[in-house]
Amino acid sequence: GAVVSQHPSRVICKSGTSVKIECRSLDFQATTMFWYRQFPKQSLMLMATSNEGSKATYEQGVEKDKFLINHASLTLSTLTVTSAHPEDSSFYICSARDILAPQAETQYFGPGTRLLVL
Amino acid sequence: QKEVEQDPGPLSVPEGAIVSLNCTYSNSAFQYFMWYRQYSRKGPELLMYTYSSGNKEDGRFTAQVDKSSKYISLFIRDSQPSDSATYLCASDRGSTLGRLYFGRGTQLTVWP
């Protein structure tokens, strides 16, 4: 089956630093990738939709200057949390859609990245 | 009102029990309905997928959608301790955007 990887799996950083999270589709091409945030015992909250070669579309309330998304290729999207603060600590998960099968069911999720900002 | 509502539980059942997980949704435009399973500190994995109303069975799992009442169900037969996880329902309009709307997730524990 299709595999999506994320790196790093967990990161601890100091307040004010920037953190980059990578999302890769390993065995398929993804025109669209999604970035979610999940707080403990809460559901996934969509942050932004990332399309290869174009600007990301952010959900209402998500600061695009704080959460920079780049989708430079069909297999890689990155999320950079700029000037991270403790309230940005969360579980960040990406998902990718298979370019050859555009239906919703072919959205594959990565294992997530746990970010802790001290 | 959230697009998809789901009781977070927790739900605790003995091994072998039949588990019923449910969600409701508000958007009549939703056409695709999915159940994801998420183990602790892991990403969600697709468990079941249904288009429009009807039932779909896969082994011990049955997904059911009733569009008239906007009700989504997942049944797990002969539940196992390995089924212990959080189950998330999700819906999609079926547009090319592929945007999924998730419920809060129900935490299930199956004890031996």
Side-chain angles (χ1 to χ4, degrees):
Chain A
V3 178
V4 175
S5 70
Q6 275 184 247
H7 178 79
S9 58
R10 58 186 303 175
V11 57
I12 302 173
C13 69
K14 292 182 179 180
S15 185
T17 60
S18 294
V19 175
K20 180 185 282 189
I21 302 171
E22 291 186 349
C23 177
R24 292 182 185 274
S25 56
L26 296 186
D27 51 2
F28 67 98
Q29 293 182 320
T31 49
T32 306
M33 290 183 172
F34 302 87
W35 286 96
Y36 296 84
R37 181 166 52 183
Q38 187 177 34
F39 293 105
K41 298 189 185 298
Q42 298 294 319
S43 187
L44 284 77
M45 293 173 50
L46 181 65
M47 299 175 66
T49 301
S50 165
N51 292 295
E52 186 264 337
S54 63
K55 290 184 178 180
T57 302
Y58 290 82
E59 293 297 302
Q60 192 173 11
V62 177
E63 300 175 58
K64 60 181 180 182
D65 293 332
K66 181 170 185 60
F67 298 99
L68 301 178
I69 292 173
N70 184 278
H71 192 162
S73 77
L74 287 173
T75 58
L76 173 64
S77 177
T78 60
L79 168 68
T80 301
V81 184
T82 62
S83 187
H85 288 96
E87 57 266 29
D88 298 323
S89 299
S90 188
F91 192 48
Y92 292 86
I93 308 174
C94 72
S95 71
R97 291 183 69 202
D98 189 334
I99 190 175
L100 295 178
Q103 297 304 315
E105 75 275 16
T106 51
Q107 193 173 137
Y108 302 98
F109 283 82
T113 296
R114 190 161 299 279
L115 170 64
L116 177 61
V117 185
L118 302 176
Chain B
Q1 182 185 10
K2 285 195 66 176
E3 301 267 9
V4 180
E5 299 277 2
Q6 182 176 11
D7 185 341
L11 185 61
S12 182
V13 301
E15 183 175 356
I18 296 174
V19 176
S20 173
L21 303 168
N22 307 291
C23 293
T24 58
Y25 64 95
S26 57
N27 194 330
S28 299
F30 286 154
Q31 298 184 58
Y32 297 88
F33 305 91
M34 284 135 283
W35 284 95
Y36 284 85
R37 178 173 60 194
Q38 186 177 25
Y39 292 110
S40 182
R41 298 174 184 269
K42 301 290 184 184
E45 58 176 322
L46 181 64
L47 198 59
M48 297 286 286
Y49 154 79
T50 309
Y51 171 70
S52 193
S53 281
N55 292 0
K56 187 171 185 178
E57 190 173 317
D58 184 2
R60 297 185 293 111
F61 298 88
T62 299
Q64 204 170 72
V65 176
D66 182 347
K67 293 193 74 177
S68 63
S69 60
K70 298 189 178 67
Y71 205 76
I72 313 164
S73 300
L74 177 71
F75 299 97
I76 306 175
R77 292 185 299 279
D78 187 25
S79 56
Q80 303 294 312
S82 58
D83 295 328
S84 299
T86 297
Y87 290 80
L88 299 128
C89 59
S91 298
D92 174 51
R93 290 195 202 100
S95 70
T96 55
L97 294 175
R99 192 205 193 285
L100 293 178
Y101 296 84
F102 282 91
R104 277 187 67 180
T106 300
Q107 186 179 348
L108 170 68
T109 300
V110 181
W111 43 275

